[in-house]
Coordinates of all heavy atoms in Angstrom, one line a residue:
T432 N 9.9 4.6 -3.1 CA 11.2 4.1 -3.0 C 11.3 2.7 -3.2 O 12.3 2.1 -3.6 CB 11.7 4.4 -1.6 OG1 10.8 3.8 -0.6 CG2 11.8 5.9 -1.3
G433 N 10.2 1.9 -2.9 CA 10.2 0.5 -3.0 C 10.2 0.0 -4.5 O 10.6 -1.1 -4.8
F434 N 9.7 0.8 -5.4 CA 9.5 0.4 -6.7 C 10.2 1.2 -7.8 O 9.9 1.1 -9.0 CB 8.0 0.2 -7.0 CG 7.4 -0.8 -6.2 CD1 6.9 -0.5 -4.9 CD2 7.4 -2.1 -6.6 CE1 6.3 -1.5 -4.2 CE2 6.9 -3.1 -5.8 CZ 6.3 -2.8 -4.6
S435 N 11.0 2.2 -7.4 CA 11.6 3.1 -8.3 C 12.9 3.8 -7.8 O 12.9 4.1 -6.6 CB 10.5 4.1 -8.7 OG 11.2 5.1 -9.5
V436 N 13.8 4.0 -8.6 CA 14.9 4.9 -8.2 C 14.9 6.2 -9.0 O 15.9 7.0 -8.9 CB 16.3 4.2 -8.4 CG1 16.5 3.0 -7.3 CG2 16.5 3.6 -9.7
V437 N 13.9 6.4 -9.7 CA 13.7 7.7 -10.5 C 13.9 8.9 -9.5 O 14.6 9.8 -10.0 CB 12.4 7.7 -11.2 CG1 12.2 9.0 -11.8 CG2 12.4 6.6 -12.3
P438 N 13.4 9.0 -8.3 CA 13.7 10.1 -7.5 C 15.1 10.5 -7.4 O 15.5 11.6 -7.4 CB 13.0 9.8 -6.2 CG 12.0 8.8 -6.5 CD 12.4 8.0 -7.6
L439 N 16.0 9.4 -7.2 CA 17.4 9.6 -7.1 C 18.0 10.1 -8.4 O 18.8 11.0 -8.5 CB 18.1 8.3 -6.7 CG 17.9 7.9 -5.3 CD1 18.5 6.5 -5.1 CD2 18.4 8.8 -4.3
Q440 N 17.5 9.5 -9.5 CA 18.0 9.8 -10.8 C 17.7 11.3 -11.2 O 18.6 12.1 -11.8 CB 17.5 8.9 -11.9 CG 18.1 7.5 -11.8 CD 17.4 6.5 -12.5 OE1 16.3 6.6 -12.9 NE2 18.0 5.3 -12.6
I441 N 16.5 11.7 -10.8 CA 16.1 13.1 -11.0 C 17.1 14.1 -10.4 O 17.5 15.1 -11.0 CB 14.7 13.4 -10.6 CG1 13.7 12.7 -11.5 CG2 14.4 14.9 -10.6 CD1 12.3 12.7 -11.0
F442 N 17.6 13.7 -9.2 CA 18.5 14.6 -8.5 C 19.8 14.6 -9.2 O 20.5 15.7 -9.3 CB 18.6 14.3 -7.0 CG 17.6 15.0 -6.2 CD1 16.4 14.5 -6.0 CD2 17.9 16.3 -5.9 CE1 15.4 15.2 -5.3 CE2 16.9 17.1 -5.3 CZ 15.7 16.5 -4.9
T443 N 20.3 13.5 -9.7 CA 21.6 13.5 -10.4 C 21.5 14.3 -11.7 O 22.3 15.2 -11.9 CB 21.9 12.0 -10.8 OG1 21.5 11.2 -9.8 CG2 23.3 11.9 -11.2
L444 N 20.4 14.1 -12.4 CA 20.2 15.0 -13.6 C 20.1 16.4 -13.3 O 20.8 17.2 -14.0 CB 18.9 14.5 -14.3 CG 19.0 13.2 -15.0 CD1 17.7 12.9 -15.7 CD2 20.1 13.2 -16.1
F445 N 19.4 16.8 -12.3 CA 19.2 18.2 -11.9 C 20.7 18.7 -11.6 O 21.0 19.9 -11.9 CB 18.3 18.4 -10.8 CG 18.1 19.8 -10.4 CD1 17.3 20.6 -11.1 CD2 18.8 20.3 -9.3 CE1 17.1 22.0 -10.7 CE2 18.6 21.7 -8.9 CZ 17.8 22.5 -9.6
G446 N 21.5 18.0 -10.8 CA 22.8 18.4 -10.4 C 23.6 18.6 -11.6 O 24.4 19.6 -11.7
M447 N 23.5 17.8 -12.6 CA 24.3 17.9 -13.8 C 23.9 19.2 -14.5 O 24.8 19.9 -14.9 CB 24.1 16.8 -14.8 CG 24.8 15.5 -14.4 SD 24.3 14.2 -15.5 CE 25.3 12.9 -14.9
V448 N 22.6 19.4 -14.7 CA 22.2 20.6 -15.4 C 22.7 21.9 -14.6 O 23.3 22.8 -15.2 CB 20.7 20.7 -15.4 CG1 20.2 22.1 -16.0 CG2 20.1 19.6 -16.3
V449 N 22.6 21.9 -13.3 CA 23.0 23.1 -12.6 C 24.6 23.3 -12.7 O 25.1 24.4 -12.9 CB 22.7 22.9 -11.0 CG1 23.4 24.0 -10.2 CG2 21.2 23.0 -10.8
S450 N 25.3 22.2 -12.7 CA 26.7 22.2 -12.9 C 27.1 22.9 -14.2 O 28.0 23.8 -14.3 CB 27.4 20.9 -12.8 OG 27.0 20.2 -11.7
I451 N 26.4 22.5 -15.3 CA 26.7 22.9 -16.6 C 26.4 24.5 -16.6 O 27.2 25.2 -17.2 CB 25.9 22.2 -17.7 CG1 26.4 20.8 -17.8 CG2 26.0 22.9 -19.0 CD1 25.6 19.8 -18.6
L452 N 25.3 24.8 -16.1 CA 24.9 26.2 -16.1 C 25.9 27.0 -15.3 O 26.3 28.1 -15.7 CB 23.5 26.4 -15.5 CG 22.3 25.9 -16.4 CD1 21.0 26.1 -15.7 CD2 22.3 26.6 -17.7
S453 N 26.4 26.5 -14.2 CA 27.4 27.2 -13.4 C 28.7 27.5 -14.1 O 29.2 28.6 -14.0 CB 27.7 26.4 -12.1 OG 26.5 26.0 -11.5
I454 N 29.1 26.5 -14.9 CA 30.3 26.7 -15.6 C 30.2 27.9 -16.6 O 31.0 28.7 -16.7 CB 30.7 25.4 -16.4 CG1 31.1 24.3 -15.4 CG2 31.9 25.6 -17.3 CD1 31.4 22.9 -15.9
L455 N 29.0 27.8 -17.3 CA 28.7 28.9 -18.3 C 28.7 30.2 -17.6 O 29.3 31.2 -18.1 CB 27.4 28.6 -19.0 CG 27.3 27.3 -19.9 CD1 26.0 27.2 -20.5 CD2 28.4 27.4 -21.0
F456 N 28.1 30.3 -16.4 CA 28.0 31.4 -15.6 C 29.3 32.0 -15.3 O 29.6 33.1 -15.3 CB 27.1 31.2 -14.4 CG 26.6 32.4 -13.8 CD1 26.1 33.5 -14.5 CD2 26.7 32.6 -12.4 CE1 25.6 34.6 -13.9 CE2 26.2 33.7 -11.7 CZ 25.7 34.7 -12.4
V457 N 30.2 31.1 -14.8 CA 31.6 31.4 -14.3 C 32.3 32.1 -15.5 O 33.0 33.1 -15.4 CB 32.4 30.2 -13.8 CG1 33.8 30.5 -13.6 CG2 31.8 29.8 -12.4
V458 N 32.3 31.4 -16.7 CA 32.9 32.0 -17.8 C 32.4 33.3 -18.2 O 33.2 34.3 -18.4 CB 32.7 31.0 -19.0 CG1 33.3 31.6 -20.4 CG2 33.4 29.7 -18.8
Y459 N 31.1 33.5 -18.1 CA 30.5 34.8 -18.4 C 31.0 35.8 -17.4 O 31.3 37.0 -17.8 CB 28.9 34.6 -18.3 CG 28.1 35.9 -18.3 CD1 28.1 36.7 -19.5 CD2 27.5 36.4 -17.2 CE1 27.4 37.9 -19.6 CE2 26.8 37.6 -17.2 CZ 26.7 38.3 -18.4 OH 26.0 39.5 -18.4
L460 N 30.9 35.5 -16.1 CA 31.4 36.5 -15.1 C 32.8 36.9 -15.2 O 33.2 38.0 -15.1 CB 31.1 35.9 -13.7 CG 29.7 35.9 -13.2 CD1 29.6 35.3 -11.8 CD2 29.0 37.2 -13.3
F461 N 33.6 35.9 -15.6 CA 35.1 36.2 -15.8 C 35.3 37.1 -17.0 O 36.1 38.1 -16.8 CB 35.8 34.8 -16.1 CG 37.3 34.9 -16.3 CD1 38.1 35.2 -15.2 CD2 37.9 34.9 -17.5 CE1 39.5 35.4 -15.3 CE2 39.3 35.0 -17.7 CZ 40.1 35.2 -16.5
I462 N 34.6 36.9 -18.1 CA 34.7 37.9 -19.2 C 34.3 39.3 -18.7 O 34.9 40.3 -19.0 CB 33.9 37.4 -20.4 CG1 34.6 36.0 -20.8 CG2 33.9 38.4 -21.5 CD1 33.7 35.3 -21.9
R463 N 33.1 39.3 -18.0 CA 32.6 40.6 -17.5 C 33.6 41.3 -16.7 O 33.8 42.5 -16.7 CB 31.3 40.4 -16.7 CG 30.1 40.5 -17.5 CD 28.9 40.4 -16.5 NE 28.6 41.7 -15.9 CZ 27.6 42.5 -16.3 NH1 26.8 42.1 -17.3 NH2 27.4 43.7 -15.7
R464 N 34.3 40.6 -15.8 CA 35.3 41.1 -14.9 C 36.4 41.7 -15.7 O 36.9 42.9 -15.4 CB 35.9 40.0 -14.0 CG 37.0 40.4 -13.1 CD 36.5 41.3 -12.0 NE 37.5 41.7 -11.1 CZ 38.5 42.5 -11.3 NH1 38.6 43.1 -12.4 NH2 39.3 42.8 -10.3
L465 N 36.8 41.1 -16.8 CA 37.9 41.6 -17.6 C 37.4 42.9 -18.4 O 38.1 43.9 -18.5 CB 38.4 40.5 -18.7 CG 39.1 39.3 -18.1 CD1 39.5 38.4 -19.1 CD2 40.3 39.8 -17.2
V466 N 36.2 42.9 -18.9 CA 35.7 43.9 -19.8 C 35.3 45.1 -18.9 O 35.6 46.3 -19.2 CB 34.6 43.5 -20.7 CG1 34.0 44.5 -21.5 CG2 35.1 42.3 -21.6
I467 N 34.4 44.8 -17.9 CA 33.8 45.9 -17.1 C 34.5 46.3 -15.9 O 34.5 47.5 -15.4 CB 32.3 45.6 -16.8 CG1 31.6 45.3 -18.1 CG2 31.6 46.7 -16.1 CD1 30.2 44.8 -17.9
G468 N 35.2 45.3 -15.3 CA 35.9 45.5 -14.0 C 35.1 45.0 -12.8 O 34.0 44.5 -13.1
P469 N 35.5 45.2 -11.6 CA 34.8 44.7 -10.5 C 33.4 45.3 -10.3 O 33.2 46.4 -10.5 CB 35.7 45.1 -9.3 CG 36.6 46.1 -9.8 CD 36.7 46.0 -11.2
E470 N 32.4 44.4 -9.9 CA 31.0 44.8 -9.7 C 30.5 44.2 -8.4 O 30.9 43.1 -8.1 CB 30.1 44.4 -10.8 CG 30.6 44.7 -12.3 CD 29.7 44.0 -13.3 OE1 30.1 42.8 -13.6 OE2 28.8 44.6 -13.7
A471 N 29.5 44.8 -7.8 CA 28.8 44.0 -6.6 C 27.3 44.4 -6.6 O 26.8 44.8 -5.6 CB 29.5 44.4 -5.3
E472 N 26.7 44.2 -7.7 CA 25.2 44.4 -7.7 C 24.5 43.0 -7.7 O 25.1 42.0 -7.8 CB 24.8 45.2 -9.0 CG 25.3 46.6 -8.9 CD 24.6 47.5 -7.9 OE1 23.4 47.2 -7.6 OE2 25.2 48.5 -7.4
G473 N 23.2 43.1 -7.6 CA 22.3 41.9 -7.7 C 22.5 40.9 -6.6 O 22.3 39.7 -6.7
I474 N 22.7 41.5 -5.4 CA 22.9 40.6 -4.2 C 21.6 39.8 -3.9 O 21.7 38.6 -3.6 CB 23.4 41.4 -3.1 CG1 23.7 40.5 -1.9 CG2 22.4 42.4 -2.6 CD1 25.1 40.4 -1.6
F475 N 20.5 40.4 -4.1 CA 19.2 39.7 -3.8 C 18.9 38.6 -4.8 O 18.4 37.5 -4.4 CB 18.0 40.7 -3.6 CG 18.3 41.6 -2.4 CD1 18.5 42.9 -2.5 CD2 18.2 40.9 -1.1 CE1 18.7 43.6 -1.3 CE2 18.4 41.7 0.0 CZ 18.6 43.1 -0.1
T476 N 19.2 38.9 -6.0 CA 19.1 37.8 -7.0 C 19.9 36.6 -6.6 O 19.5 35.4 -6.7 CB 19.6 38.3 -8.4 OG1 19.1 39.6 -8.6 CG2 19.1 37.4 -9.5
L477 N 21.1 36.9 -6.2 CA 22.0 35.8 -5.8 C 21.4 35.0 -4.6 O 21.4 33.8 -4.6 CB 23.4 36.5 -5.3 CG 24.5 35.5 -5.0 CD1 24.8 34.6 -6.1 CD2 25.7 36.2 -4.4
F478 N 20.8 35.8 -3.7 CA 20.2 35.1 -2.5 C 19.1 34.2 -3.0 O 19.0 33.0 -2.4 CB 19.7 36.1 -1.5 CG 20.7 36.5 -0.4 CD1 21.0 37.8 -0.2 CD2 21.3 35.5 0.3 CE1 21.9 38.1 0.8 CE2 22.2 35.7 1.3 CZ 22.5 37.1 1.5
T479 N 18.2 34.6 -3.8 CA 17.1 33.8 -4.3 C 17.6 32.5 -4.9 O 17.1 31.4 -4.5 CB 16.2 34.5 -5.3 OG1 16.7 35.8 -5.5 CG2 14.8 34.5 -5.0
I480 N 18.6 32.6 -5.7 CA 19.2 31.5 -6.4 C 19.7 30.5 -5.4 O 19.5 29.3 -5.4 CB 20.2 31.8 -7.4 CG1 19.6 32.7 -8.5 CG2 20.9 30.6 -8.0 CD1 20.6 33.2 -9.5
L481 N 20.4 31.1 -4.4 CA 21.0 30.3 -3.3 C 20.0 29.6 -2.5 O 20.1 28.4 -2.3 CB 21.9 31.2 -2.4 CG 23.4 31.2 -2.8 CD1 24.1 32.1 -1.8 CD2 23.9 29.8 -2.8
Y482 N 18.9 30.3 -2.0 CA 17.9 29.6 -1.3 C 17.2 28.5 -2.1 O 17.0 27.5 -1.5 CB 16.8 30.7 -0.9 CG 17.2 31.7 0.2 CD1 16.8 32.9 0.3 CD2 18.0 31.2 1.3 CE1 17.1 33.8 1.3 CE2 18.3 32.0 2.3 CZ 17.8 33.2 2.3 OH 18.2 34.1 3.3
F483 N 17.1 28.8 -3.3 CA 16.4 27.7 -4.2 C 17.3 26.5 -4.1 O 16.9 25.3 -3.9 CB 16.2 28.2 -5.5 CG 15.7 27.1 -6.5 CD1 14.5 26.5 -6.4 CD2 16.6 26.7 -7.5 CE1 14.1 25.5 -7.3 CE2 16.3 25.7 -8.4 CZ 15.0 25.1 -8.3
L484 N 18.6 26.7 -4.4 CA 19.5 25.5 -4.5 C 19.7 24.9 -3.2 O 19.7 23.7 -3.1 CB 20.9 26.0 -5.0 CG 20.8 26.3 -6.5 CD1 22.2 26.8 -6.9 CD2 20.3 25.3 -7.4
V485 N 19.7 25.6 -2.1 CA 19.8 25.0 -0.8 C 18.6 24.1 -0.5 O 18.6 23.0 0.0 CB 20.0 26.1 0.3 CG1 19.8 25.4 1.8 CG2 21.3 26.7 0.3
G486 N 17.4 24.7 -0.9 CA 16.1 23.9 -0.7 C 16.2 22.6 -1.5 O 15.9 21.5 -1.0
V487 N 16.7 22.7 -2.7 CA 16.8 21.4 -3.5 C 17.8 20.5 -2.9 O 17.5 19.2 -2.8 CB 17.3 21.8 -5.0 CG1 17.7 20.5 -5.7 CG2 16.2 22.6 -5.7
V488 N 18.9 21.0 -2.3 CA 19.9 20.1 -1.7 C 19.3 19.4 -0.5 O 19.4 18.2 -0.3 CB 21.1 20.8 -1.3 CG1 22.1 20.0 -0.4 CG2 22.0 21.3 -2.6
I489 N 18.6 20.2 0.4 CA 18.0 19.5 1.5 C 16.9 18.5 1.2 O 16.9 17.4 1.7 CB 17.2 20.6 2.4 CG1 18.3 21.6 3.0 CG2 16.5 20.0 3.5 CD1 17.7 22.7 3.8

Side-chain angles (χ1 to χ4, degrees):
T432 59
F434 295 90
S435 170
V436 289
V437 171
L439 291 175
Q440 288 163 347
I441 289 174
F442 270 94
T443 319
L444 286 179
F445 182 79
M447 285 175 173
V448 171
V449 171
S450 308
I451 292 168
L452 291 179
S453 310
I454 293 173
L455 296 179
F456 195 46
V457 167
V458 172
Y459 170 72
L460 287 181
F461 183 70
I462 295 171
R463 265 185 87 100
R464 177 69 177 75
L465 292 182
V466 177
I467 303 179
E470 311 167 273
E472 290 293 330
I474 184 109
F475 290 113
T476 319
L477 185 63
F478 269 127
T479 357
I480 296 174
L481 266 181
Y482 281 146
F483 170 69
L484 289 181
V485 168
V487 170
V488 169
I489 295 176

